[in-house]
């Protein structure tokens, strides 16, 4: 009885931390939706559809920036905080070394493929601001939040994320409602100014954790690349349907689908808020073996799925009010949202399993699962969306998500049993 009481008491701090982390992410997600709604209503279907496509393309490139070094920042610092200066410098060097070449490639390609304006200066200048914000400044802000999470200092991490989201919302409200911005090229100026402000705040906050050591941690390069590939292929798969839909449907459907995907991504935050609380502790506990965190993973899985069910139901019920927020011209928005919202439940199942593998150092296995599923899923989504439009996109999306759930759970159970057997043999 006393053990159960102690267990319940042990859950109280975690519950409080989750409410704080989840509340901050929920506030950030709400602010992002307000930003998206403001831009959707002010830019109109044509310009907003263009902005959605540009965002999808740059989102695919974001995981490449830094070569996945944020994972080793959290994992290594959670185990040994003395290594933090080296891991921070490692991350910042890789962000600059990968972000700048991608920015230059984008400046060459995107103004030709998706021009913002007939004026070359406005066209290239707008892309320079958008790409610098999405590829470099955004990544620096993200690394700052990860640095605080690695130290289990969730309050500053939550505060920075909320500030980031509300800064973008304030920029959108000022740009659209006060200054009447109606083009993506004009919004790029406000977008860049917002990111500069938040980056300066993030760098100032990081000073309390210590200065970086400007060196590359060579033994983490390959692990980081494996981690990055998971998100590269995942992002590619998640944006393939949007890019193909833009080619085979109207701007209204493209805009509605883009809004629905943003809402679905926001719902993922309810699960990610829990996972990021658990990850540092799992990384430290798994030093003794994957089987040492099997009970922990099972409890987190149950909690995550429960949270995801509530999130999906909330989105389904609230879907009819979305046209009031984003504009009545997005006529297909409600039906698309109600079809996609259940994906958060599947995400919760495989995200917990994959994070358990990652925290225990099994990045190669995690990468194999995610990359295989996402590469096959991207091809399936492209073909079915091209052939059957929205219906094909929906079918391919759920087929890929179900495959990820099955593969991740089966592999996690298998590796846990094998690890436990090895430990028992060693003890004998």
């Amino acid at each position: 009885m006393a053990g159960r009481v102690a267990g319940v008491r042990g859950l109280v701090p975690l519950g409080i931390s989750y409410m704080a982390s989840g509340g901050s992410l929920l506030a950030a997600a709400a602010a992002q939706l307000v930003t998206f709604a403001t831009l959707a209503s002010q830019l109109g279907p044509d310009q907003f559809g263009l902005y959605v496509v540009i965002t999808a393309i740059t989102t695919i490139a974001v995981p490449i920036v830094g070569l996945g070094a944020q994972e080793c920042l959290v994992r290594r610092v959670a185990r040994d905080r003395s290594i933090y200066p080296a891991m921070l410098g490692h991350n910042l060097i890789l962000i600059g070394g990968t972000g700048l070449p991608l920015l230059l490639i984008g400046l060459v390609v995107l103004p030709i493929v998706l021009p913002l304006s007939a004026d070359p200066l406005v066209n290239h200048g707008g892309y320079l601001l958008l790409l610098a914000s999405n590829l470099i400044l955004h990544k620096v802000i993200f690394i700052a939040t990860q640095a605080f999470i690695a130290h289990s200092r969730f309050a500053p991490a939550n505060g920075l994320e909320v500030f980031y989201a509300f800064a973008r919302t304030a920029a959108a409200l000022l740009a659209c409602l006060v200054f009447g911005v109606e083009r993506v090229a004009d919004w790029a100026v406000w977008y860049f100014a917002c990111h500069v402000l938040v980056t300066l705040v993030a760098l100032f906050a990081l000073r309390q954790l210590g200065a970086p050591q400007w060196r590359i941690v060579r033994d983490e390069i390959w692990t980081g690349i494996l981690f990055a590939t998971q998100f590269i292929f995942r992002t590619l798969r998640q944006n393939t349907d949007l890019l193909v839909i833009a080619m085979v449907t109207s701007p209204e459907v493209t805009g509605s689908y883009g809004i629905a995907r943003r809402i679905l991504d926001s719902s993922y935050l309810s699960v990610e808020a829990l996972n990021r609380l658990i990850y540092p502790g799992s990384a430290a506990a798994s030093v003794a073996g994957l089987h040492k965190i099997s009970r922990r993973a099972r409890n987190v899985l149950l909690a995550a799925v429960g949270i995801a069910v509530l999130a999906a139901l909330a989105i389904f019920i609230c879907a009819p009010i979305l046209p009031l927020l984003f504009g009545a011209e997005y006529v297909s928005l409600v039906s698309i949202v109600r079809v996609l919202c259940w994906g958060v439940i599947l995400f919760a199942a495989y995200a917990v399993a994959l994070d358990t593998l990652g925290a225990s150092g099994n990045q190669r296995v995690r990468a194999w699962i995610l990359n295989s599923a996402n590469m096959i899923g991207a091809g399936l989504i492209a073909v079915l969306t091209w052939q059957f439009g929205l219906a094909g996109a929906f079918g391919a999306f759920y087929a890929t998500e179900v495959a990820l759930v099955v593969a991740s759970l089966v592999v996690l159970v298998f590796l846990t049993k094998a690890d436990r057997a090895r430990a028992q043999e060693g003890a004998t």
Side-chain angles (χ1 to χ4, degrees):
M1 183 67 179
R4 291 184 179 179
V5 172
V8 172
R9 289 177 178 174
L11 291 176
V12 173
L14 178 61
I16 295 174
S17 297
Y18 175 75
M19 287 188 289
S21 181
S24 66
L25 290 179
L26 182 61
Q32 289 178 15
L33 289 179
V34 172
T35 303
F36 227 52
T38 303
L39 293 172
S41 60
Q42 185 69 18
L43 297 179
D46 290 337
Q47 281 288 299
F48 184 69
L50 173 63
Y51 180 64
V52 166
V53 174
I54 294 171
T55 302
I57 294 173
T58 56
T59 300
I60 294 172
V62 168
I64 303 175
V65 179
L67 298 179
Q70 71 270 16
E71 189 275 336
C72 64
L73 173 65
V74 176
R75 174 170 45 82
R76 294 283 294 270
V77 175
R79 296 174 177 176
D80 178 13
R81 294 187 179 179
S82 65
I83 202 173
Y84 167 73
M87 300 311 300
L88 178 61
H90 174 76
N91 272 266
L92 294 177
I93 291 172
L94 291 180
I95 288 173
T98 54
L100 290 175
L102 286 173
L103 185 149
L104 294 175
I105 293 172
L107 279 178
V108 172
V109 176
L110 290 179
I112 299 173
V113 178
L114 296 168
L116 298 178
S117 171
D119 185 337
L121 181 61
V122 174
N123 191 20
H124 286 80
Y127 270 113
L128 175 62
L129 300 180
L130 289 173
L131 292 172
S133 301
N134 286 341
L135 298 181
I136 299 177
L137 300 182
H138 167 77
K139 203 70 175 187
V140 172
I141 297 167
F142 177 69
I143 287 300
T145 64
Q146 295 300 294
F148 284 111
I149 290 172
H151 287 82
S152 295
R153 297 182 60 179
F154 297 105
N158 297 337
L160 184 57
E161 287 184 341
V162 171
F163 175 69
Y164 184 24
F166 277 88
R168 283 181 291 182
T169 301
L173 293 175
L174 281 172
C176 295
L177 303 185
V178 178
F179 290 90
V181 167
E182 296 181 343
R183 298 187 308 164
V184 176
D186 298 328
W187 162 241
V189 178
W190 291 87
Y191 192 66
F192 177 74
C194 166
H195 278 76
V196 170
L197 171 64
V198 180
T199 300
L200 292 176
V201 172
L203 292 175
F204 181 81
L206 274 181
R207 294 175 60 191
Q208 61 185 286
L209 298 179
Q213 291 180 3
W214 299 102
R215 67 184 182 89
I216 295 292
V217 183
R218 296 184 181 277
D219 59 330
E220 288 292 348
I221 291 289
W222 179 242
T223 302
I225 292 174
L226 284 175
F227 185 78
T229 58
Q230 302 163 32
F231 291 90
I232 292 169
F233 288 114
R234 174 186 169 186
T235 307
L236 178 63
R237 190 257 298 181
Q238 289 179 335
N239 289 280
T240 297
D241 50 1
L242 185 57
L243 297 176
V244 178
I245 283 173
M247 292 187 287
V248 300
T249 62
S250 66
E252 183 277 323
V253 174
T254 302
S256 294
Y257 195 87
I259 294 170
R261 288 306 304 265
R262 179 57 63 93
I263 292 172
L264 181 64
D265 290 344
S266 297
S267 71
Y268 291 167
L269 296 178
S270 61
V271 177
E272 291 173 348
L274 178 63
N275 284 345
R276 76 175 187 168
L277 287 175
I278 299 298
Y279 197 94
S282 296
S286 64
V287 172
L290 176 59
H291 68 284
K292 291 294 186 180
I293 58 172
S294 59
R295 184 186 298 273
R296 178 189 184 94
R298 183 167 58 250
N299 293 337
V300 174
L301 177 62
L302 294 175
V305 170
I307 292 169
V309 169
L310 295 177
L313 287 173
I315 295 172
F316 187 87
I317 293 171
C318 297
I321 70 173
L322 293 176
L324 299 178
L325 298 175
F326 292 91
E329 61 268 31
Y330 297 98
V331 294
S332 56
L333 178 58
V334 174
S335 59
I336 294 176
V337 166
R338 283 187 156 176
V339 172
L340 291 178
C341 67
W342 308 107
V344 65
I345 301 174
L346 300 174
F347 169 79
Y350 70 75
V352 171
L354 293 174
D355 274 5
T356 302
L357 291 172
S360 61
N362 289 285
Q363 288 294 346
R364 186 184 300 274
V365 177
R366 172 180 164 141
W368 179 84
I369 295 171
L370 269 176
N371 294 351
S372 299
N374 286 325
M375 282 191 292
I376 296 171
L380 183 65
I381 287 171
V383 172
L384 293 184
T385 304
W386 183 267
Q387 292 294 322
F388 304 104
L390 275 178
F394 294 149
F397 167 75
Y398 277 105
T400 306
E401 296 290 289
V402 169
L404 274 168
V405 172
V406 173
S408 59
L409 291 178
V410 168
V411 171
L412 177 61
V413 170
F414 175 80
L415 291 181
T416 301
K417 289 182 177 179
D419 186 64
R420 182 177 288 110
R422 285 193 297 270
Q424 291 173 349
E425 290 176 2
T428 301

